[in-house]
Amino acid sequence: MRSGPSCKQISSAVKMSGSATVAQRRHIGLQQLEAMAASTRAFLGPNKRMKFIRYEEDGGDAVLVSTCPRLLEHIELGGSVGQLLHETVRAQQKVFHSGTGALMFLAGVWSRVALECLNRGISVSDIKATMSKGLEVCLEVCKQSAVSVQDVSCKRLKECKPSPALKSEVQCMDVEHPHNLRLTLKHSRHFSMDDAQTENAKTALDDVSHIAEVVSHGCKASMNLVLKAWKLQSTEDAQNRSLDIQKLVTCSIPGPPEEHSCVLHGYVTLFSVEQASTVRHLQGQAINIALVNGDLCEKYRHVGFNRPANVTHITDFANMSSVSLEERWIENALKILHEFSVGVVFVSGVVDAKLKERCSNVLVVEGVKSSVLKDFSTCTGAVPVSYITQLDERCVGRGVKVIRLREICGEHESVRIVTASSSLVTAVITSSVPAKLQILEDEFWSCTHRLHQALADGKLLRGAGVTELLCIHQLHQYKRTETGNPQENVVLELMAEAWMDYVSTLMLNSGSMSSKTEAWTAVAHQMRLYKEGEPTVLASRDTDGVYDNVTVKSEAWRRALDLVFIVLQSDTEIITGVGEGENLYNELMYL
């Protein structure tokens, strides 16, 4: 693998490329935003090209990235525009775990639109008003062209050839999502049973595999893991037929090949060599568990704790100079764990290293998600505590089992911690290339959230650029029929060109076109055919069964335009590079 550019070189390139576009050094923020977005064009579409970032300061260490959030995490973003971009992308990623590629691309091309409008003498207020109208036109396209999950499932059922077992078992599917919307799918042309038999054959089998297939976006292996997790959750909790993300965690194990990735019931975690004897001791027993919400160390204090002032601590014990406070705390913690026969301790924060070393027959697991603590609390009766000294008989949970995973042997050994009646599921992600583990984990969570969001929305948008092509057509139509203002027409035309750039880049990255010019020509040809009323990809083809989330796409578009407006407004208020005698104050607007 070739060595990639260093983190400093990437940041420098972004800064340099952002200073040569617009004359007289005006609106540097928009230029920087466009340049930073251009560095992530390879992440748009299903066939993402990875970037290899090398750190010169850290002894030449390197990292492999394939998503916008990971790239922004590993490059230096010293300027305010970079920080704004990073925060916007992080907000999108935190909620949806997808759509960041489109967000950054659109932020870049819409920055270019704003810059071009400024060069043509269009005021900031007119730019913002018209681009907002353009976005509303595109969002209306999403609203009108959205397809229900039920229709997508029925279409996929007609295209699939079910096996004899499937044909006899699944005569009706109930697709149920977290908002309790039940979509009944029946009367496929492959099934010839009459209505009475169909109704009697209902089995509460909520198979969402068809929806998962169309929103997998090329990540078939990861989506298969998501489906296995959903089925395992359904098996453990018959009352809940939906994908519960709060009861889904991941565990990355370097060493085994990717084919060894699997989904297991319970909580899977790695353990160190020092903890191997503890795991062997605990196997095959019904174990007590303690839950600690926070750090497990002597100096930890909960959020909001205020140490009282002017207080002197006095002890009744003489000659205690040789024993530290930490040592006494460790002794007390070990005594409490032994008193209540605790075999497993889940800690949401970090654990004191000395305490961990001295827990000979207690498996201490740190960095546990709060959702996992909540699940084990519900299933075992354990009560989470902030300090180990608060632990008593009422707070200890019971009925936990520890199982060593011998079938997955990587560089680190792993253990599965389970309890009855829990629907908690762990996706074990493996790879023989350690640098790829983070990419595979991000891919899994992206698939999980796309499927969850599809069922939550109850609607999908046609993918592979079809929705964006409709936006181009609608912008042209709006320009012809709804506005006679020449300046508004210029802005809307530039927005349509930005969408053409998006679609052509998507086609190029997906491999359907060999060059950007060829892709752009194909998009222009499709728009001309659509305008003339002839059959096109917009009406005739199913875009290879690719669909996008309605909410994810809409929010990514809104965030991108909001970001452009903030940078545009900031640049204008600062008035970077304004010469003497120029008066732009009449164009200023305040956020």
Side-chain angles (χ1 to χ4, degrees), residues 290 336-337 340 342 383 385 387-393 395-396:
I336 292 172
L337 294 176
F340 299 111
V342 175
V383 178
V385 296
Y387 305 97
I388 194 68
T389 52
Q390 294 175 324
L391 196 67
D392 58 22
E393 189 71 27
C395 300
V396 176

Side-chain angles (χ1 to χ4, degrees), residues 45-223:
N47 302 326
K48 295 176 176 59
R49 295 197 297 273
M50 299 180 187
K51 289 185 180 291
F52 189 65
I53 302 176
R54 177 168 49 86
Y55 292 92
E56 293 178 347
E57 296 83 359
D58 299 332
D61 289 345
V63 65
L64 203 62
V65 298
S66 64
T67 61
C68 298
R70 295 298 175 189
L71 178 66
L72 294 177
E73 281 178 12
H74 292 96
I75 64 175
E76 298 174 6
L77 297 170
S80 58
V81 175
Q83 294 298 325
L84 278 172
L85 175 62
H86 193 192
E87 289 300 320
T88 304
V89 170
R90 268 204 315 195
Q92 177 79 12
Q93 179 72 6
K94 182 179 180 180
V95 178
F96 301 110
H97 284 260
S98 61
T100 55
L103 191 160
M104 280 197 68
F105 189 99
L106 293 175
V109 293
W110 284 343
S111 294
R112 190 171 69 231
V113 168
L115 285 168
E116 182 61 27
C117 291
L118 290 167
N119 282 342
R120 298 190 186 191
I122 302 175
S123 68
V124 171
S125 57
D126 287 340
I127 292 172
K128 294 178 68 174
T130 309
M131 290 187 75
S132 296
K133 286 181 183 177
L135 179 61
E136 289 304 317
V137 169
C138 296
L139 293 176
E140 185 63 25
V141 168
C142 293
K143 183 179 178 181
Q144 297 297 329
S145 62
V147 184
S148 72
V149 170
Q150 180 181 9
D151 292 342
V152 174
S153 298
C154 289
K155 185 176 182 61
R156 298 303 295 171
L157 276 170
K158 292 178 181 179
E159 293 171 355
C160 296
K161 294 182 179 180
S163 63
L166 178 64
K167 186 174 180 179
S168 61
E169 181 180 4
V170 186
Q171 304 299 331
C172 176
M173 291 186 180
D174 295 329
V175 180
E176 187 178 9
H177 60 70
H179 294 290
N180 296 322
L181 173 65
R182 184 172 294 275
L183 307 173
T184 305
L185 314 178
K186 55 185 178 181
H187 302 308
S188 168
R189 63 185 175 86
H190 295 290
F191 308 139
S192 57
M193 286 186 175
D194 56 37
D195 290 346
Q197 289 176 310
T198 301
E199 292 297 325
N200 293 332
K202 285 187 176 181
T203 63
L205 176 63
D206 300 333
D207 192 355
V208 296
S209 58
H210 298 100
I211 305 302
E213 181 182 355
V214 299
V215 297
S216 63
H217 292 189
C219 304
K220 186 176 180 181
S222 295
M223 189 57 84

Side-chain angles (χ1 to χ4, degrees), residues 299-344:
K299 293 184 178 180
Y300 171 76
R301 298 295 182 269
H302 63 274
V303 177
F305 174 82
N306 294 317
R307 191 179 298 277
N310 302 322
V311 174
T312 303
H313 296 272
I314 302 174
T315 179
D316 293 332
F317 296 94
N319 193 23
M320 293 294 293
S321 58
S322 61
V323 181
S324 65
L325 284 174
E326 182 184 17
E327 186 64 27
R328 278 187 284 165
W329 176 84
I330 291 174
E331 292 291 343
N332 191 28
L334 292 173
K335 179 182 177 182
I336 292 172
L337 294 176
H338 177 72
E339 179 183 352
F340 299 111
S341 303
V342 175
V344 176

